[in-house]
Amino acid sequence: MSSAQPVRFPYGVLLRWVRPVLVAAAILIAVVAAVQIFVNLYTSSAWFSSVGEHAVFVRRLRTQIVLFLVVGGLSAGALLGSGLAAYRCCIPAMRPARGKWSLRYRRYWHRRRHVLLGIATAVTFLVTGLAAASRWQLWLQWRNATSFHLRDPQFHRDISYYVFVYPLHRYAVSTALSIVEIAIVTALVVAFVCGVIRLRPPRGLPKPLLAMLSVLVGLLFVFKAAAYWLDRLALTVSNHGIVTGLSYTDRTTLAPAKIVLLVLALLAAVALFANVLWRRGRILVFVGGGLLVAGVVAGGIVPALVQRFVAKPNAQSAERVSIARSITATRTAFDLNGALPATSLLNGSTVTNSQLRSDVAATLQARVLDPNQVSPTFTQLQQERSIYGFKSTLDVDHYTVAGKQRDLVIAARELTIGSLPSAQRSWSNQHLVYTHGFGIVAAPVDSVDAQGEPAFVESGLPPSGALGSFQPRIYFGQMSPTYSIVGGSGARRELDLPAVSGTGSQTRTTYAGKGGVPIGSWFRQLVYAVKFRDASLLLSGEVGSGSRLLYL
């Protein structure tokens, strides 16, 4: 009798069928991504040009490209270099595979290792490069840093460092750590699939791989030392105490602990670089584990104990320095150092009671209207048409009314597309007809009328009142539509003043401003149809020469 042979899954046949599908899917994804990138860049360029700031777009794009190439290239290079070096270290030490995954890898993937490594490198390049490009503001902040000519009381650095420079330093260190971690993970994965790393039964790593990992982990500790230095500076805006800034525990324990950890990390890096010659696996484990324990004790347990048993029971005396620094910083920020000289009115005063009352009446307005609560009242009294509305929290600003400075609650009467009846929510109505709000409403914060309602100084539709003449149409606001199409040839189609309850007549207008992106060409209509995922932008006959697209 012959023994039955085990049935093996036909991985080779599966690969021959799946490969064309995967290639087609990859090409499709690449084309869609390329189109999306082009659309985003083209529409951003057009928008910045429409507001006269195309140079800002160019500067941002140039910064994004540089960051994409540099960070993406470094990350991809780390993965590729680490993978190739790990293969070079591991292949001579490969033994007969015993695990299920090792057997499958040996049978089907080992001869394709360079293809797999290339795919992983390309994905890493794109992912890390795009993530870096999104941080373009950090680079431009650093390039355009301006000194504040004020130093923090603890580390004696110009305060502008924490605003403009520190964020880039932190990002650079975290990126360097990520790149080294990518290299370490790649080397370990390669060693695992080659069967060099085995947990059961355990076996030692090849000497060349140990040397390589020692260098990589040593670099990791060098960058970790830099991170400890930045952690120390970050305590300037710590919230560990009762005020923002270094607390008692931060000053006395945590900041010194960061220096200790920095020194330990550098010593650990030196030991690991020396391990390139010794090539001992236990040094790698002991040094890494020791620094981890030191970080938990010095950076976590000790500061927590000091805070609980020293700072918290004696907060009044312990936090005296922090409170004094906070007061000084607040006075400096509001320019109150010496700005309010003390003047005695007890002796020789010529100020009368009537003068004091007059001064108080002219400068003090006790609020009767709460801008956080009065929006429903404004809506009830001044909405005028159901398509208009006010935001939930109104604003307060200073205006001259009857020759006097007054605090006014003010609100823009903005368009609310969501309030349109469902029968009127056609594409044309939402983007060509209902395009703007109309007018503002304002009332003093300190008074109401005889009925207890806001005493409006600017109201009505069209608006009239004490604030003078102004352009009442609101095309750009906090409640504006996603986009509006204005201008163009033909009759006026934008609804300006709708009729009420079927009475009266509607007033229509055409946008007369200079804003917006021209979309007269079919190509721009196509690009913006892709951007907004709206084919009507391309297919509508009402969009043509002279049309402009308004959006934020």
Side-chain angles (χ1 to χ4, degrees):
M1 295 178 61
S2 61
S3 60
Q5 295 293 326
V7 178
R8 299 182 182 276
F9 189 84
Y11 287 100
V13 176
L14 179 63
L15 284 176
R16 284 196 296 272
W17 283 95
V18 170
R19 186 184 295 113
V21 177
L22 294 178
V23 171
I27 293 174
L28 179 62
I29 292 172
V31 170
V32 171
V35 169
Q36 191 64 50
I37 291 172
F38 171 78
V39 167
N40 289 338
L41 292 177
Y42 184 86
T43 55
S44 294
S45 175
W47 186 90
F48 276 98
S49 296
S50 72
V51 297
E53 295 292 346
H54 191 260
V56 174
F57 168 76
V58 173
R59 188 179 302 113
R60 187 189 76 176
L61 180 60
R62 184 170 58 241
T63 304
Q64 287 178 312
I65 291 174
V66 171
L67 290 175
F68 175 81
L69 294 176
V70 171
V71 177
L74 289 174
S75 301
L79 187 146
L80 181 61
S82 176
L84 292 175
Y87 273 120
R88 191 178 184 86
C89 296
C90 293
I91 289 178
M94 291 175 65
R95 297 181 180 179
R98 298 182 181 180
K100 177 176 62 176
W101 294 106
S102 296
L103 284 170
R104 291 178 179 175
Y105 170 78
R106 299 280 186 89
R107 185 175 297 122
Y108 301 108
W109 298 111
H110 185 64
R111 63 180 180 272
R112 301 179 178 89
R113 60 185 182 276
H114 294 101
V115 175
L116 296 175
L117 198 57
I119 294 173
T121 300
V123 171
T124 300
F125 177 77
L126 290 175
V127 172
T128 57
L130 290 174
S134 67
R135 310 303 292 272
W136 58 272
Q137 288 178 305
L138 300 181
W139 176 265
L140 292 180
Q141 283 178 193
W142 173 76
R143 285 295 302 272
N144 298 279
T146 302
S147 175
F148 288 1
H149 303 293
L150 291 171
R151 295 184 176 273
D152 75 90
Q154 183 68 28
F155 304 117
H156 311 293
R157 287 180 173 267
D158 192 285
I159 294 176
S160 64
Y161 170 82
Y162 301 98
V163 178
F164 300 118
V165 180
Y166 175 84
L168 181 66
H169 285 178
R170 172 59 73 181
Y171 173 70
V173 171
S174 63
T175 300
L177 284 169
S178 298
I179 290 173
V180 177
E181 288 168 357
I182 288 173
I184 293 173
V185 171
T186 301
L188 293 176
V189 169
V190 169
F192 175 76
V193 297
C194 287
V196 172
I197 293 180
R198 255 200 338 257
L199 301 180
R200 292 182 298 179
R203 54 175 297 189
L205 297 178
K207 298 296 185 182
L209 183 63
L210 272 175
M212 176 184 170
L213 290 175
S214 296
V215 172
L216 291 177
V217 178
L219 287 175
L220 185 72
F221 287 159
V222 169
F223 292 126
K224 190 62 180 175
Y228 284 135
W229 177 260
L230 293 177
D231 289 344
R232 175 174 168 268
L233 297 177
L235 295 175
T236 303
V237 290
S238 165
N239 289 312
H240 297 158
I242 59 177
V243 294
T244 298
L246 283 91
S247 65
Y248 173 83
T249 304
D250 294 331
R251 292 195 321 273
T252 61
T253 308
L254 199 52
K258 296 298 181 181
I259 296 296
V260 172
L261 291 173
L262 184 155
V263 173
L264 291 177
L266 292 178
L267 292 176
V270 171
L272 289 171
F273 291 148
N275 195 44
V276 173
L277 301 177
W278 301 328
R279 302 186 182 187
R280 303 290 178 82
R282 61 172 60 92
I283 292 180
L284 199 62
V285 175
F286 290 159
V287 169
L291 188 62
L292 178 63
V293 172
V296 172
V297 174
I301 296 177
V302 173
L305 293 176
V306 171
Q307 176 67 24
R308 176 63 183 86
F309 296 105
V310 179
K312 191 174 181 180
N314 305 285
Q316 186 172 0
S317 59
E319 303 295 354
R320 185 173 301 164
V321 174
S322 301
I323 294 172
R325 288 177 174 178
S326 179
I327 293 173
T328 301
T330 302
R331 291 179 63 87
T332 301
F334 286 95
D335 196 20
L336 297 177
N337 291 323
L340 299 174
T343 302
S344 175
L345 295 178
L346 297 179
N347 298 319
S349 174
T350 57
V351 180
T352 63
N353 290 335
S354 62
Q355 287 176 318
L356 288 175
R357 283 194 293 270
S358 176
D359 290 342
V360 170
T363 58
L364 178 63
Q365 289 182 263
R367 290 188 180 181
V368 176
L369 301 182
D370 184 352
N372 298 305
Q373 303 294 330
V374 78
S375 179
T377 303
F378 271 49
T379 300
Q380 180 181 3
L381 300 176
Q382 289 294 323
Q383 184 181 23
E384 300 289 349
R385 307 289 191 273
S386 62
I387 62 171
Y388 298 132
F390 303 105
K391 64 178 186 175
S392 58
T393 299
L394 306 186
D395 299 306
V396 176
D397 209 340
H398 307 282
Y399 291 88
T400 301
V401 178
K404 296 182 179 180
Q405 285 287 322
R406 302 292 300 274
D407 288 349
L408 302 181
V409 177
I410 189 166
R413 188 186 286 109
E414 293 197 50
L415 178 69
T416 55
I417 286 292
S419 62
L420 280 175
S422 57
Q424 298 182 27
R425 292 186 186 179
S426 65
W427 181 87
S428 178
N429 276 347
Q430 294 186 76
H431 299 290
L432 298 170
V433 177
Y434 295 96
T435 60
H436 58 276
F438 207 97
I440 62 172
V441 179
V445 300
D446 61 340
S447 61
V448 294
D449 61 16
Q451 287 76 37
E453 298 174 348
F456 295 108
V457 297
E458 189 76 27
S459 60
L461 194 65
S464 61
L467 299 186
S469 60
F470 51 86
Q471 169 59 260
R473 295 169 184 85
I474 302 171
Y475 283 90
F476 299 98
Q478 294 177 292
M479 301 164 64
S480 296
T482 305
Y483 67 89
S484 297
I485 301 173
V486 298
S489 58
R492 295 185 175 189
R493 58 172 173 258
E494 296 179 49
L495 190 61
D496 207 28
L497 288 177
V500 180
S501 301
T503 63
S505 60
Q506 296 179 340
T507 303
R508 293 183 179 265
T509 187
T510 296
Y511 178 72
K514 298 180 179 180
V517 178
I519 55 167
S521 68
W522 69 268
F523 179 73
R524 282 207 169 177
Q525 293 169 26
L526 173 62
V527 171
Y528 275 98
V530 175
K531 176 180 176 61
F532 291 113
R533 293 176 174 81
D534 192 342
S536 297
L537 264 168
L538 179 63
L539 302 176
S540 174
E542 298 180 275
V543 182
S545 176
S547 295
R548 305 178 76 86
L549 190 71
L550 305 181
Y551 69 100
L552 294 175

